[in-house]
């Protein structure tokens, strides 16, 4: 830990860690000596999400205006987000043991002849699917999980010097309790294994940062994180880290009786006291500032959010994003790497510009 502090002290707070300038305090050698936990980057929330068709959104608004406001956002394709500087992506996954279950969503059927066209062919193929809600918020820039993964892999291979990209996964179960609505099944043992299998079908081990790699010979991942066992930036460049942002019952199913996360491809959002602690989601940067600081001190990777449910964009309120960047969380998520001009000028940018900076 002392070595990490000394390495950080040698790097300027204004240095772009992804593209060091060579100036004093911003050399490649000094930056590469940092642990990957020393960075702060920006990323996107529900990165796959396309806009809901206007007439379908109008139906949602008629039933629940607040919910319609909360889901009225969208993102560009993943490659374009990465090109724009996103170094954290979030993907929602649904299990699909009998392919085609999500190919005739309720909202599309209700729109009838006025339905906005959408390609449902990928949703009829085998594999995990990517969408926000099976019946009314189903449009995705990459409907197949493996399609999302391939887009990330191809961009990463073309940019081997990028700082580590964090891919957060939410596992969606259930759905709307309405006649004709589709409900996603529970992620059982087979589904949990499918997550790892699909990740590893696209990414070779050398392109990943996994719990086993970080834990090494330490008794637990938590102890490894506390000891500063994360890769240095030199070793972490060009690699991708996956994490499940899930409730405890899903985390337990993913661990499946393991002492830590042996053999698993992804980290899990869990209590810092857990032997599997390496990553944690703390989405309220002001209210949870103390917990974020404690998690950082424990050596954990932290994700927080700069905005949520379109509230900050509609009010042009930057207080939450200021708290997020000041918190020291390594990964700060937003829905607005570019403004939504319908709402105003609100945008979230990494302070000082660049792709990655030294975390406060």
């Amino acid at each position: 830990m002392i070595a990490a502090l000394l390495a950080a002290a040698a790097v300027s707070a204004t240095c772009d860690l992804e593209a060091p300038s060579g100036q004093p305090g911003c050399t490649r050698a000094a930056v590469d000596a940092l642990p990957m936990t020393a960075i702060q980057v920006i990323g996107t929330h529900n990165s796959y999400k396309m806009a809901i068709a206007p007439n379908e959104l109008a139906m949602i608004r008629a039933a629940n205006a607040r919910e319609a406001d909360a889901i009225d956002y969208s993102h560009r394709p993943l490659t374009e987000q990465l090109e724009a500087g996103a170094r954290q992506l979030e993907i929602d996954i649904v299990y699909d043991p009998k392919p085609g279950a999500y190919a005739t969503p309720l909202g599309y059927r209700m729109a009838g002849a006025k339905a906005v066209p959408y390609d449902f062919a990928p949703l009829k193929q085998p594999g995990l699917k990517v969408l926000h809600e099976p019946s009314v918020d189903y449009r995705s820039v990459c409907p197949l999980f493996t399609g999302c993964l391939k887009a990330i892999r191809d961009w990463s291979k073309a940019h081997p010097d990028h700082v580590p990209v964090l891919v957060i996964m939410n596992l969606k179960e259930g759905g709307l309790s309405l006649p004709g609505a589709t409900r996603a099944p529970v992620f059982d043992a087979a589904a949990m294994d499918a997550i790892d299998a699909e990740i590893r079908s696209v990414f070779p081990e050398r392109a990943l940062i996994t719990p086993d790699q970080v834990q090494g010979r330490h008794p637990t991942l938590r102890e490894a994180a506390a000891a500063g066992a994360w890769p240095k930036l030199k070793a972490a460049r060009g690699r991708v880290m996956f994490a499940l942002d899930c409730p405890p019952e899903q985390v337990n199913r993913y661990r499946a009786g393991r002492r830590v996360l042996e053999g698993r491809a992804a980290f899990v959002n869990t209590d810092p006291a857990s032997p599997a602690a390496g990553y944690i989601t703390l989405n309220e940067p002001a209210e949870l500032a103390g917990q974020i600081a404690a998690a950082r001190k424990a050596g954990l990777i932290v994700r927080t959010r700069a905005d949520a449910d379109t509230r900050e964009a509609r009010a042009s309120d930057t207080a939450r994003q200021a708290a997020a960047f000041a918190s020291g969380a390594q990964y700060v998520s937003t829905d607005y790497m570019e403004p939504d001009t319908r709402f105003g000028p609100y945008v979230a940018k990494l302070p000082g510009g660049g792709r990655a900076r030294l975390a406060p």
Side-chain angles (χ1 to χ4, degrees), residues 187-228:
F187 273 79
D188 58 15
M192 294 299 185
D193 289 344
I195 295 170
D196 284 5
E198 293 200 7
I199 290 172
R200 289 196 159 107
S201 75
V202 174
F203 287 92
E205 191 73 11
R206 66 180 180 277
L208 297 172
I209 297 169
T210 67
D212 285 341
Q213 292 172 12
V214 176
Q215 183 177 338
R217 296 188 178 184
H218 292 271
T220 67
L221 181 58
R222 176 180 58 80
E223 290 171 89

Side-chain angles (χ1 to χ4, degrees), residues 51-219:
I52 301 171
N55 54 343
E56 294 178 43
L57 184 63
M59 288 189 286
I60 299 170
R61 189 173 300 283
N64 188 330
R66 180 177 294 181
E67 179 63 20
D69 281 351
I71 58 178
D72 188 13
Y73 62 92
S74 63
H75 292 292
R76 295 178 182 272
L78 300 186
T79 299
E80 293 183 24
Q81 295 177 51
L82 291 163
E83 284 289 340
R87 295 297 178 263
Q88 173 259 301
L89 301 171
E90 184 176 38
I91 298 174
D92 289 347
I93 309 169
V94 290
Y95 188 34
D96 192 16
K98 297 179 180 179
Y102 306 105
T104 56
L106 177 63
Y108 190 85
R109 284 184 277 122
M110 289 179 66
K114 296 182 179 180
V116 175
Y118 182 67
D119 182 9
F120 290 104
L123 294 176
K124 299 175 183 178
Q125 298 177 26
L128 299 168
K129 305 304 188 298
V130 175
L131 48 81
H132 193 225
E133 200 288 322
S135 296
V136 298
D137 197 0
Y138 52 84
R139 295 172 190 257
S140 172
V141 300
C142 46
L144 286 170
F145 184 45
T146 52
C148 299
L149 297 176
K150 289 173 183 176
I152 298 166
R153 177 202 62 193
D154 292 348
W155 179 87
S156 179
K157 288 176 69 175
H159 301 80
D161 286 340
H162 69 76
V163 297
V165 170
L166 170 63
V167 179
I168 298 170
M169 299 172 289
N170 294 148
L171 310 184
K172 295 288 188 173
E173 300 174 346
L176 298 178
S177 297
L178 293 174
T182 302
R183 293 183 64 81
V186 167
F187 273 79
D188 58 15
M192 294 299 185
D193 289 344
I195 295 170
D196 284 5
E198 293 200 7
I199 290 172
R200 289 196 159 107
S201 75
V202 174
F203 287 92
E205 191 73 11
R206 66 180 180 277
L208 297 172
I209 297 169
T210 67
D212 285 341
Q213 292 172 12
V214 176
Q215 183 177 338
R217 296 188 178 184
H218 292 271

Side-chain angles (χ1 to χ4, degrees), residues 29-46:
V31 168
D32 279 352
L34 292 170
M36 62 174 280
T37 50
I39 69 171
Q40 186 175 73
V41 298
I42 196 167
T44 52
H45 159 255
N46 288 349

